[in-house]
Amino acid sequence: MRKAIALLVAILVGLLVVEGVARIAYRRPDYHQTMLVDPLVGFRMPRGLAMESRDESGPFPYRLSPEGFRGPPMPDTPRAAGDRTPRLLFVGDSFLNAFRVRDEQLMTTRTERAIAAREGSANVFCISGDGFNPAQGLILFREHAPDVRPDAVVLAVYPGNDIHDGTPELHGPADYTRVWLVDDGEGVLRTTTLFPWRTRARRWSVAFSVLEHRLVGKGAWARSLREPARYDPARVAKGLPPSEDLEVYSPSLAESSPRWRAAWSTTEAVIGRFRTEVEAMGARFLVVVIPAWRQAVRTGQSVLHDHDARTAGGRPLDSILDLDFPERRLAAFCAREGIDVRLLLGPLRRATAPGRPSCYVPEDGHLSGEGHRVAAEVVTAWWFEEPDRLGADLAGVGPGPTSLLPPPPAPGEPEVLEPGDEALLHDGWGPIRPATATPRPGTIVQQPRAFLLVPVDDGALVVSGSVPRRARLPIRVRVTVPGIPGEGILTIESRDAFRRRCPITLPPRLRPPAYDGHVPVVFECIDREPGEWGLMWGPVVHTIGFVGK
């Protein structure tokens, strides 16, 4: 017995020594990318992060609060009893962190200015984090609300991933440390994680955190994690969306799939509990539903996915996806529960038009400064209890996404790539050169594969362009239309302007009105490796189109 006790004591002392050394020599490891492990919600942004971001106007400082949120620091003392300054608290995910949006353009900042302009002053605070779901927002609300004591709480819900990320049943590798709130069967929401004992050990031990991080990084402890279905157009032939994240737009899966039933019911339960706790503080509660870019606008990526679905699955993507379903479902739930809700889908669709500032950031699909302006107007009108002039309700959703594709050229004429045609481009292209560029406007192939949309017409595909000075000759590019027989190999051996005809013609089934009169074309660089900054130096394409003899 004494030997056993001595052995246990020795093991305990050894563990304490290892833990002490670990706390001196190591810091708790990152979760993934810039996220840090957090004992309360699983992960969060670094506290006090300061770095440089960039938008269409150039670089600007991007900073997070001492709590790791995008906004002012949280109050460190409870709100004074006589403080009558309007105080709002926004809660959400990366749409509030808004990496590509300047401070003065944020919906939180704009709302604060709009209310202060009419009431003399206002304070707006924000709880936000990349990848947060509403449950993580509720947990952090409980931590900070007693000091903030808001007059109103605005919960920003992004169905594009909040529903999927709201339940452990649909977990993926990025959810290794995530904390969820789930119904325990008795109507009580309790916290849970994928690996409860690891979560407890991680909270206490730096040594365990370091060991775990290394094992997970090598895949040793992550093999049991579920891999969500990746993009596969062949799924459309089975009546499924091409990837799991798009299943949120399927009304049938919301009823027939146990995982999606759990995701929707859990998210609704969290929103309902959020409202209860906010109103118990004497504050107003608003749910703002932010749509994904594909719901609001039709761009090159929309057409590419639709084309993939038709060629691989034999069905248009619109026959599988109901892009308005998340708004209808959340609006119906809020109506049943008496929760104020505003849908940004209609206002964003109407604020979008070719030639106007985009409501979305092309690089990452989040709201741009213009999108934040629309959101701030909707929230401000709700705060002042004014009529909803922007149509942020179900009736104002409208007929479908707003097409940003420019009108096609005259029949038989190629498309001239010039400023204003950015919606024709998808991945892999540089910025479109201005109309004054020498020798002509156009855009350069900068990645191993580059996609763009070309107007549907008779004849073979014809490409004209030039070679940038920094490009290394010869240049060989394979040109294809996904799912259509034939390819063109562009071999460019001089720096003279070129015009090439590719043996690719379109079958009758791809004639307009399919795909808004466009098809995707792929440029693939052959025998060429990315150079500085991971960029290729392929040809500059000036015009492209299906042109007869």
Side-chain angles (χ1 to χ4, degrees):
M1 177 63 72
R2 291 181 178 178
K3 290 183 178 181
I5 294 175
L7 178 60
L8 290 175
V9 170
I11 292 174
L12 179 59
V13 171
L15 291 175
L16 291 174
V17 170
V18 170
E19 179 64 21
V21 172
R23 295 193 178 207
I24 295 172
Y26 299 96
R27 66 175 181 83
R28 292 187 182 274
D30 294 350
Y31 166 60
H32 67 96
Q33 298 177 351
T34 60
M35 306 296 283
L36 303 179
V37 171
D38 181 83
L40 196 62
V41 292
F43 57 87
R44 69 160 76 196
M45 299 292 289
R47 301 172 188 270
L49 176 68
M51 60 187 300
E52 183 181 275
S53 186
R54 178 177 291 271
D55 62 7
E56 66 278 1
S57 300
F60 64 88
Y62 176 88
R63 296 185 179 91
L64 300 182
S65 71
E67 298 83 14
F69 307 141
R70 186 78 187 274
M74 291 289 169
D76 54 8
T77 57
R79 185 179 184 183
D83 185 355
R84 302 301 180 191
T85 300
R87 184 172 285 194
L88 283 75
L89 176 61
F90 282 68
V91 182
D93 60 4
S94 54
F95 277 82
L96 295 185
N97 267 359
F99 183 66
R100 300 286 184 181
V101 180
R102 297 169 184 262
D103 289 347
E104 64 271 18
Q105 297 177 331
L106 294 169
M107 67 177 78
T108 49
T109 309
R110 291 177 185 269
T111 301
E112 183 177 75
R113 287 202 305 266
I115 295 175
R118 296 168 62 175
E119 299 205 20
S121 61
N123 297 129
V124 172
F125 297 92
C126 180
I127 293 173
S128 58
D130 290 1
F132 278 2
N133 60 29
Q136 290 166 295
L138 176 55
I139 294 170
L140 289 170
F141 167 81
R142 292 168 174 170
E143 180 183 27
H144 295 287
D147 288 338
V148 178
R149 298 297 302 180
D151 300 302
V153 173
V154 179
L155 175 62
V157 176
Y158 175 61
N161 58 28
D162 279 354
I163 312 301
H164 181 281
D165 294 345
T167 179
E169 282 83 353
L170 287 168
H171 79 265
D175 299 314
Y176 183 82
T177 65
R178 186 189 295 276
V179 174
W180 289 275
L181 289 174
V182 295
D183 194 320
D184 65 356
E186 299 179 358
V188 177
L189 294 177
R190 301 192 185 278
T191 59
T192 189
T193 62
L194 292 178
F195 307 103
W197 75 265
R198 297 184 196 177
T199 301
R200 289 190 290 270
R202 190 185 309 121
R203 288 172 180 170
W204 181 85
S205 173
V206 173
F208 176 84
S209 298
V210 173
L211 175 63
E212 176 193 43
H213 187 261
R214 293 183 179 181
L215 290 173
V216 170
K218 294 179 180 180
W221 279 12
R223 295 193 185 104
S224 61
L225 292 178
R226 174 179 167 273
E227 284 285 351
R230 299 185 182 277
Y231 183 76
D232 179 8
R235 284 166 45 99
V236 174
K238 304 175 184 178
L240 296 172
S243 59
E244 186 173 276
D245 63 304
L246 296 180
E247 292 178 355
V248 72
Y249 305 110
S250 172
S252 62
L253 287 175
E255 299 300 328
S256 64
S257 165
R259 288 173 173 168
W260 280 103
R261 283 203 307 271
W264 277 105
S265 63
T266 299
T267 301
E268 291 168 350
V270 169
I271 293 174
R273 183 62 193 174
F274 218 136
R275 185 274 305 270
T276 299
E277 296 189 19
V278 168
E279 292 185 347
M281 299 181 66
R284 298 168 62 194
F285 182 63
L286 172 67
V287 173
V288 172
V289 182
I290 302 175
W293 64 266
R294 70 173 65 252
Q295 296 177 264
V297 297
R298 188 164 176 81
T299 65
Q301 187 172 352
S302 311
V303 176
L304 177 64
H305 287 175
D306 193 20
H307 178 87
D308 287 348
R310 291 173 188 255
T311 55
R315 303 173 63 176
L317 202 55
D318 289 347
S319 70
I320 303 296
L321 304 184
D322 181 347
L323 294 179
D324 297 347
F325 170 66
E327 276 68 19
R328 290 202 310 274
R329 170 109 185 201
L330 288 171
F333 166 75
C334 290
R336 289 195 308 270
E337 300 297 321
I339 297 173
D340 284 353
V341 63
R342 295 293 183 271
L343 312 176
L344 296 186
L345 182 53
L348 289 173
R349 284 175 173 174
R350 286 184 289 277
T352 301
R356 296 182 60 178
S358 174
C359 290
Y360 288 85
V361 178
E363 292 86 355
D364 61 18
H366 289 83
L367 291 181
S368 66
E370 181 68 9
H372 278 254
R373 179 193 64 78
V374 173
E377 289 188 16
V378 169
V379 173
T380 301
W382 170 82
W383 168 260
F384 287 111
E385 300 182 356
E386 296 175 342
D388 176 23
R389 298 187 180 90
L390 294 181
D393 57 8
L394 201 55
V397 162
T402 301
S403 177
L404 296 182
L405 304 181
E413 295 293 326
E415 179 74 54
V416 179
L417 296 175
E418 54 190 356
D421 291 338
E422 285 79 8
L424 295 175
L425 308 180
H426 180 31
D427 288 337
W429 299 93
I432 293 182
R433 297 167 15 155
T436 56
T438 303
R440 301 178 66 180
T443 178
I444 185 173
V445 177
Q446 286 192 334
Q447 299 292 336
R449 301 183 80 224
F451 300 77
L452 83 161
L453 300 186
V454 177
V456 171
D457 208 340
D458 295 321
L461 184 67
V462 176
V463 182
S464 70
S466 60
V467 178
R469 289 191 300 271
R470 298 184 62 176
R472 174 172 49 84
L473 295 174
I475 298 174
R476 298 182 69 231
V477 179
R478 179 182 292 108
V479 183
T480 59
V481 176
I484 303 300
E487 67 178 26
I489 303 295
L490 306 182
T491 301
I492 306 166
E493 298 179 329
S494 74
R495 300 191 183 277
D496 298 332
F498 65 86
R499 186 176 187 273
R500 300 283 193 277
R501 180 179 292 270
C502 304
I504 303 173
T505 57
L506 300 178
R509 64 187 174 86
L510 293 185
R511 294 293 187 266
Y515 319 137
D516 292 339
H518 293 77
V519 292
V521 174
V522 180
F523 283 67
E524 186 175 4
C525 293
I526 305 173
D527 303 328
R528 185 169 291 256
E529 296 296 328
E532 187 180 8
W533 303 105
L535 301 178
M536 310 285 291
W537 289 98
V540 175
V541 176
H542 301 306
T543 69
I544 185 169
F546 293 92
V547 180
K549 296 181 179 179

